[in-house]
Amino acid sequence: MAAAEPKPPAGAAAARRLARGCWSAFWDYETPKVIVVKNRQLGVVYRVVQLLILLYFVWYVFIVQKSYQDRETGPESSVITKVKGITSSEHKVWDVEEYVKPPEGGSVFSIITRIEVTPSQTQGTCPESVRVTNATCDDDEDCVAGQLDMLGNGVRTGRCVPYYHGAFKTCEVSGWCPVEDGASVSQFLGKMAPNFTILIKNSIHYPKFRFSKGNIENRKDSYLKHCTFDEVSHLYCPIFRLGFIVERAGENFTELALKGGVIGVIINWDCDLDLSASNCNPKYSFRRLDPKHVPASSGYNFRFAKYYKINGSTTRTLIKAYGIRIDVIVHGQAGKFSLIPTIINLATALTSIGVGSFLCDWILLTFMNKNKVYSHKKFDKVCTPRHSPASWPVTLALVLGQAPPPPCSCSTDPGRPQEEGQSQARAVPPPQPCPTSAPSEQMVDIPDQGAGPGPWASEPSQQDSALTDPRGLAQL
């Protein structure tokens, strides 16, 4: 007697069934089914959502953002500056060659408004500044010979000497003497500084669109010699008073001249190249760039020295300068109509309108009273009849609803093949939708076919008539 073959594990059989189901579902085709729902509230929500999406794309995307244009940001730019004016301090008259650093006329420059001068410094020994850490002393034992402090003014000699003024002492150093704190003299140059004029010459170029323009009006007369900047009457006269720049930045000129600061002159070129070139104009704005409310780093200053010889020995004048630094910053963008971004944004707009359908379907299938009925009407499965490979036009006509469909092959027994001639000669009833799952069958009340005559046998239900629609359409 042959031994019985062992049955495969239940898990393996379930896995094979799952794999076959997934493989079969992979070749299914899905097409939308149109259902007209006669519900005023849901229709209002649908149209309002569509209207909002349409307004967003028409007003914001196309009108405000101009998304139909091809854009280029960051133009190629050149800046040339020139400062004019004279001022005076307690001791001398200053001209532009002395108070503008650097003198090349670039996009970043400084205008000196106050200086602290330490004259006649020579190489020698002198008391260290009291601002240096551990510089004060009582005797020579407090000073280490040869010690070099990175924040100091020289190398310590090991002696403790009296300070320049006062009764205290500091360690002696070898370096440029006297040190800055011991003999500096302050001079204020900001008396006439608000009347300094600054010419800011700017040219930009957008290589993608081959467009160039400058901020100076193209005139042959002496227009620039008699004009100053005004947003309305003299937009293309880029000559600014220093006091005007500081005022537009919201700063007090006297305070800024004493402590120093950084002011930004921002030139913005936003150009719509679909219009005339005369509509592409520079826009100027001014603001302070350095953190003035941080005590540890407020203000702006720098040091430089002037060297000369006296009796063969090298001497220098050390100058600590406070001033107003001007940073000219140029940015902008240009746009011009292009077919590619227009098509992309139009396609995005048309696709986004479908959000209204998604939202209304969610409301319909979730919150409506008859959501199970709607779900049964919306999701359907239609099985096409079995035909030979040569009959694909008939199958296509059946799917499109252009020919009388044969009975659904899902309801036939797979073990009994259907005769081909019999299927063509027999009168074909309308196709019945194949049940998708057990829960779908429970959503619609279908009478028992073997229970005998009754009210359901004489008149088909409204749901059955909708499900047997040969075109796959239903109306509620």
Side-chain angles (χ1 to χ4, degrees):
M1 182 176 181
E5 296 182 358
K7 295 182 179 181
R16 285 196 296 270
R17 287 194 301 270
L18 179 62
R20 285 195 298 267
C22 293
W23 177 254
S24 177
F26 177 77
W27 300 105
D28 291 344
Y29 169 70
E30 297 179 359
T31 183
K33 181 178 181 180
V34 179
I35 300 177
V36 179
V37 180
K38 299 296 185 179
N39 188 296
R40 179 61 58 86
Q41 290 81 3
L42 191 63
V44 170
V45 173
Y46 178 60
R47 296 307 178 187
V48 167
V49 172
Q50 283 187 326
L51 180 62
L52 292 177
I53 294 174
L54 188 63
L55 288 177
Y56 167 77
F57 276 94
V58 172
W59 177 75
Y60 181 75
V61 175
F62 286 98
I63 296 179
V64 178
Q65 295 294 325
K66 297 181 180 179
S67 299
Y68 56 87
Q69 292 182 333
D70 188 12
R71 293 195 166 272
E72 181 180 8
T73 59
E76 299 174 353
S77 172
S78 68
V79 175
I80 300 174
T81 59
K82 184 182 294 186
V83 182
K84 289 186 177 181
I86 60 173
T87 186
S88 62
S89 64
E90 292 81 355
H91 303 283
K92 59 177 291 187
V93 175
W94 298 73
D95 59 9
V96 67
E97 286 76 13
E98 296 180 286
Y99 62 74
V100 175
K101 301 292 181 181
E104 288 82 6
S107 60
V108 179
F109 60 95
S110 301
I111 298 176
I112 299 174
T113 54
R114 185 171 73 91
I115 60 174
E116 293 180 357
V117 182
T118 305
S120 304
Q121 280 188 327
T122 57
Q123 289 286 335
T125 58
C126 57
E128 178 62 286
S129 172
V130 293
R131 298 183 181 180
V132 179
T133 305
N134 298 326
T136 58
C137 59
D138 295 325
D139 51 36
D140 294 345
E141 295 180 356
D142 296 331
C143 302
V144 180
Q147 183 180 5
L148 180 62
D149 193 333
M150 290 293 102
L151 300 179
N153 295 281
V155 181
R156 296 185 180 182
T157 62
R159 298 175 55 194
C160 184
V161 295
Y163 196 57
Y164 299 97
H165 49 78
F168 51 89
K169 297 180 179 180
T170 59
C171 293
E172 186 181 56
V173 294
S174 175
W176 288 98
C177 293
V179 296
E180 185 179 24
D181 295 339
S184 62
V185 178
S186 178
Q187 300 182 33
F188 184 68
L189 286 67
K191 182 178 180 181
M192 302 296 296
N195 295 320
F196 293 167
T197 59
I198 305 172
L199 170 66
I200 302 177
K201 184 179 179 180
N202 175 225
S203 299
I204 57 100
H205 176 67
Y206 288 103
K208 178 184 287 188
F209 305 114
R210 299 180 181 179
F211 177 81
S212 301
K213 196 171 184 180
N215 66 338
I216 296 180
E217 189 169 359
N218 187 14
R219 296 175 59 171
K220 296 182 179 180
D221 55 5
S222 58
Y223 171 69
L224 291 179
K225 295 182 180 181
H226 307 287
C227 69
T228 54
F229 175 79
D230 184 86
E231 292 181 349
V232 178
S233 58
H234 299 290
L235 180 61
Y236 283 86
C237 177
I239 299 178
F240 305 87
R241 290 176 52 255
L242 181 59
F244 171 81
I245 294 176
V246 174
E247 179 183 356
R248 292 292 296 271
E251 298 295 326
N252 180 273
F253 189 90
T254 303
E255 180 181 351
L256 188 66
L258 288 173
K259 296 183 178 181
V262 182
I263 301 295
V265 179
I266 297 95
I267 307 177
N268 186 24
W269 293 86
D270 282 344
C271 300
D272 185 355
L273 300 184
D274 293 329
L275 305 177
S276 173
S278 60
N279 293 293
C280 178
N281 299 315
K283 295 181 179 179
Y284 298 88
S285 59
F286 312 88
R287 68 183 184 91
R288 184 165 181 173
L289 302 180
D290 64 307
K292 66 176 181 178
H293 298 296
V294 180
S297 62
S298 62
Y300 171 73
N301 62 79
F302 59 96
R303 290 176 174 85
F304 64 96
K306 296 181 178 180
Y307 294 86
Y308 49 93
K309 286 184 176 291
I310 298 179
N311 297 328
S313 62
T314 302
T315 306
R316 77 175 188 181
T317 298
L318 178 64
I319 300 174
K320 182 180 181 181
Y322 296 82
I324 301 173
R325 197 181 85 175
I326 304 295
D327 289 10
V328 182
I329 304 171
V330 182
H331 60 81
Q333 60 180 352
K336 193 173 185 178
F337 175 79
S338 178
L339 189 60
I340 294 177
T342 303
I343 294 176
I344 292 175
N345 285 281
L346 281 176
T348 304
L350 296 177
T351 305
S352 300
I353 294 179
V355 174
S357 300
F358 174 79
L359 177 63
C360 291
D361 284 347
W362 177 66
I363 296 175
L364 182 69
L365 301 175
T366 306
F367 299 103
M368 303 296 288
N369 294 332
K370 298 181 180 180
N371 55 350
K372 292 185 177 181
V373 177
Y374 297 142
S375 178
H376 190 78
K377 295 290 185 180
K378 181 172 179 62
F379 301 104
D380 201 358
K381 182 177 180 181
V382 178
C383 298
T384 58
R386 297 176 181 176
H387 289 278
S388 62
S391 61
W392 65 267
V394 178
T395 303
L396 180 60
L398 290 173
V399 173
L400 297 178
Q402 302 297 326
C408 178
S409 62
C410 290
S411 60
T412 60
D413 187 0
R416 297 168 53 188
Q418 187 177 3
E419 296 181 1
E420 185 175 348
Q422 181 181 1
S423 64
Q424 295 178 357
R426 185 182 304 170
V428 181
Q432 295 291 334
C434 297
T436 57
S437 61
S440 298
E441 296 176 359
Q442 297 174 2
M443 292 178 186
V444 182
D445 296 333
I446 301 177
D448 188 2
Q449 299 295 332
W456 294 98
S458 61
E459 183 179 356
S461 64
Q462 183 180 358
Q463 295 177 356
D464 292 338
S465 63
L467 293 174
T468 57
D469 184 2
R471 294 184 180 271
L473 303 178
Q475 291 188 357
L476 295 179

